[in-house]
Amino acid sequence: MSDVLTPMMQQYHRLKREVPSDALLLFRLGDFYEMFFGDAEIGSRLLDLTLTQRQGTPMCGMPYHAAEGYIAQLLKAGRRVAICDQMETPRPGQVVRREVTQILSPGSILDSGQLEPKKNNFLASVAPVASGYGMAALDLTTGEFFSGDFLTAEVLRDALDRLCPAEVVVAQGQRIDLETSALSNGQRLGYLLVEHDAWSFSADAAEHTLRDHFKTASLEGFGLAGASGGSDARGALCAAGGLLHYLGHELRRSLGHVHSLRLWQREDVLILDAVTQRNLELVDPLRPGAGQTTLLAAVDRTVTAGGGRLLRQWLLAPLRNLAEIARRQSVVAWARTEQQERLALQERLRQVRDVERLVARLVQGSGNARDLIALRVSLEQLPALRDALASHSVPALRALGEKITPLPELVGLYTRALADDPPIVLKEGGLIRAGYNATLDELRAASVEGQEWLAALQRREQERTGIRSLKVRYNQVFGYYIEVSAANLGAVPSDYTRKQTLANAERFVTPELKEMEAKILGAQERSRQLEYELFLDLRAAAVPHLRPIQETARALHEIDVLVGWGALAQERDYVPPEVNDGGLLLFEEARHPVLEQLPASEKFVPNDVRLDIETERLVILTGPNMAGKSTYIRQVAVLALLAHCGCFVPARRAVTGLLDRIFTRVGASDDLGRGQSTFMVEMNETANILNHATSRSLVILDEIGRGTSTFDGLSIAWSVAEYLNTTLRARTLFATHYHELTELARLLPATKNYNVAVREWGEQIVFLRKIVPGGTDKSYGIQVARLAGLPAPVLKRAKEVLRELEEEQLDDIGQPRLAKAKQKKERAREVLRELDLFGRKEET
């Protein structure tokens, strides 16, 4: 063993040096993938595999046929994995030739079983430059490629939160600095952070990489001036080039399906920072496992996986372009009213598979025959879809229809060539339809004739020998053989040659059988090899059509989202919002799109809101806990966001001027990871709003100043409200329990008081959920505490203290006199008890 092991381990060390140092190398050894040394120790811990040793070398392994599940676990744990395969059939006494066939990472997964169908899997890169940061992102499964420049670390983090990448690559030597400053802000990263050659992120190298990939003389067509063309997009250039180089060289990925690069323009979208994305529960619930409580789940009526991914992108990047918003609305309006046509269109779309991800697998050489069948079925829908949109009354749908490119030649080829139900494995036959290739048909016929000959041989030998249990069988080690049970060995003819002895039988061959075996196996082997070669040609036939297939898929995804919104509008009675360049935000009889779809014990109550830059830009909202203040203010933000996406909204009437940002400061909790208290988290988020909001922003504030003393909190809340109103002139909804803030309506311009109506019934309260004009000076905290189940003695005592506080019966140090009186009574009782005890002692 040592003579073979030593050269093999030399081979292992050579291959290990070829892959990234942090990648776990899975080394194919017979029917197993093995890990050695430190990789084995890590792998055994992450995969719960037994760690063994061979000649002092730590090792652990997994069956090759089960490797996919183990690899998925490693990727999920944030590890990179290098796959080393055997490239030839093992021969005794020789080391098998092996090569690293692929390097897998969380951001470059192609296996559909490891991906969420309706969520992109982005790999991003970050490049610090003098003017800020460049960032690029590419979804290898779809070919989408973006790049942009960001002036501050905060804006960079917001963009990363919107993309939710699985992996981020930075230049060699920058990881620690970026991880502790620009990327993390003291929080744990939610992605794998890796380093790549620093020179590939330089402007000159990045420009060369991009120009070479896109085969262009310059990058001006992508909005990138190049290394010598100024610094406006220098960071975007460096990040994009470094990212492509990492994928192509370190991860060895084919990028033939990446045809374009889109430059991010911040002014084109309504900005949503990470806090706002979280507070509004746009795509992820605040509480994991809370179910379908996100806006994404509420407005998703897509029928394709790609449509679901596009919807997610749209919700996280609402538009600031009036013409584009109107274009989307025109399709939604048609789909809402023309129900039969919409249903027919959606039925066609349902037949379209995830073509974007499918062709990405074909480019990488990992697609199988079932992928080609899925592509054919999808392409078969295109002529009818294009015809339905060719003369459509809605210009936007006509334009989308023009991007659909039917490919009848490819459909015909796959129809003629592929079997109806091919297997997943590629080298065992069964892929190609009979009649497609004459040579393949001849080889198959020879194989079939051989099987018929074997069946005839078995019958003939049973009759000749009288052994009715005699069988002609096959295995990969011995080939074809005649098996005779031990009880019948006496009847074996002399022309049989013993091949193998078993416990209860023996196996034999004959010269005739060996001769036919060579013919049968030769025909089968040549048939399978030819079939595999024919399949590779069929798979390659799709590659020249990648660009029109991708453009078609993206047009279909957009149609899917918009007609789905039409279905939603018809189903839930949504209306088209009027989006303009003015300063009014108005929703009449508005409902929360998520809450109204959840099963609830009470009917959702619609409410109005009006915010106007000139006449009503600050609303002070008061009312008890649980009455619906937070729901109301979040509802306004969500509806404004939907209007900017081009979606209809749940209301009787809706008007909104274009916003530049939506800010939310809702709820709070300690940030243990950064050692920050509830109040500090609250102040950080408030500071972010005050430093970045403008008169075009919508600000949602809930309970500013709760985490400190009453007077400090009230003072901060008061000054924040003044600053938003008079300095920033931002449209603001300010929910509070500081009833003193209602005085701002007298002191500040364009300020109004509203409260959540409540009906009292004895000591009980009924939440009416209706927002009405005017302030309130009661919070009903004790009644709400009763609803929460606080013990009766606690509630009784709370009412006593409240009465004293309301009557301002405080002593010199601000303590309720009732509290001091109670202390005196307790002390008096103690004195009496002591006297009583003393008297009893005297008596004895």
Side-chain angles (χ1 to χ4, degrees), residues 582-749:
L584 174 66
L585 189 148
L586 172 70
F587 296 117
E588 295 180 357
E589 297 183 20
R591 293 120 45 205
H592 197 295
V594 177
L595 295 185
E596 75 165 352
Q597 295 187 41
L598 296 178
S601 58
E602 57 181 290
K603 184 179 179 181
F604 191 87
V605 178
N607 274 297
D608 301 343
V609 66
R610 179 186 179 90
L611 291 170
D612 186 273
I613 290 178
E614 300 302 329
T615 63
E616 198 170 340
R617 58 179 173 267
L618 174 60
V619 166
I620 304 297
L621 180 63
T622 51
N625 286 310
M626 293 181 60
K629 298 192 305 297
S630 295
T631 297
Y632 173 74
I633 61 177
R634 292 187 212 204
Q635 169 184 305
V636 173
V638 166
L639 266 58
L641 183 151
L642 286 179
H644 283 72
C645 289
C647 184
F648 288 13
V649 299
R652 186 176 64 83
R653 182 185 173 216
V655 180
T656 179
L658 282 178
L659 303 171
D660 61 358
R661 298 187 66 150
I662 296 177
F663 293 96
T664 63
R665 172 39 278 174
V666 179
S669 60
D670 292 344
D671 189 338
L672 299 179
R674 287 188 286 172
Q676 294 185 350
S677 66
T678 297
F679 182 65
M680 189 61 182
V681 172
E682 181 182 309
M683 289 300 98
N684 282 337
E685 295 177 2
T686 304
N688 176 58
I689 296 171
L690 299 181
N691 288 324
H692 295 95
T694 72
S695 62
R696 283 287 185 182
S697 303
L698 173 63
V699 179
I700 303 299
L701 298 175
D702 191 8
E703 306 295 356
I704 291 293
R706 287 186 304 176
T708 186
S709 69
T710 302
F711 287 162
D712 282 355
L714 173 58
S715 302
I716 292 170
W718 187 292
S719 61
V720 166
E722 284 185 338
Y723 191 81
L724 286 165
N725 180 285
T726 58
T727 303
L728 300 179
R729 292 170 58 85
R731 281 160 286 183
T732 305
L733 289 170
F734 198 129
T736 183
H737 283 287
Y738 292 135
H739 300 135
E740 294 86 350
L741 292 183
T742 58
E743 290 296 307
L744 290 172
R746 288 192 312 104
L747 304 174
L748 298 180

Side-chain angles (χ1 to χ4, degrees), residues 206-270:
E207 180 180 3
H208 175 78
T209 299
L210 292 169
R211 287 172 55 185
D212 182 64
H213 175 78
F214 292 116
K215 310 301 179 190
T216 58
S218 82
L219 300 174
E220 292 182 3
F222 301 106
L224 301 173
S228 60
S231 60
D232 287 348
R234 178 63 61 87
L237 169 73
C238 297
L243 179 55
L244 275 192
H245 193 273
Y246 170 71
L247 275 166
H249 290 76
E250 186 157 319
L251 298 189
R252 311 179 190 191
R253 293 295 189 173
S254 172
L255 300 170
H257 63 307
V258 181
H259 296 300
S260 63
L261 169 63
R262 197 173 83 199
L263 192 65
W264 269 309
Q265 300 289 347
R266 274 174 57 85
E267 59 271 17
D268 291 341
V269 298
L270 189 161

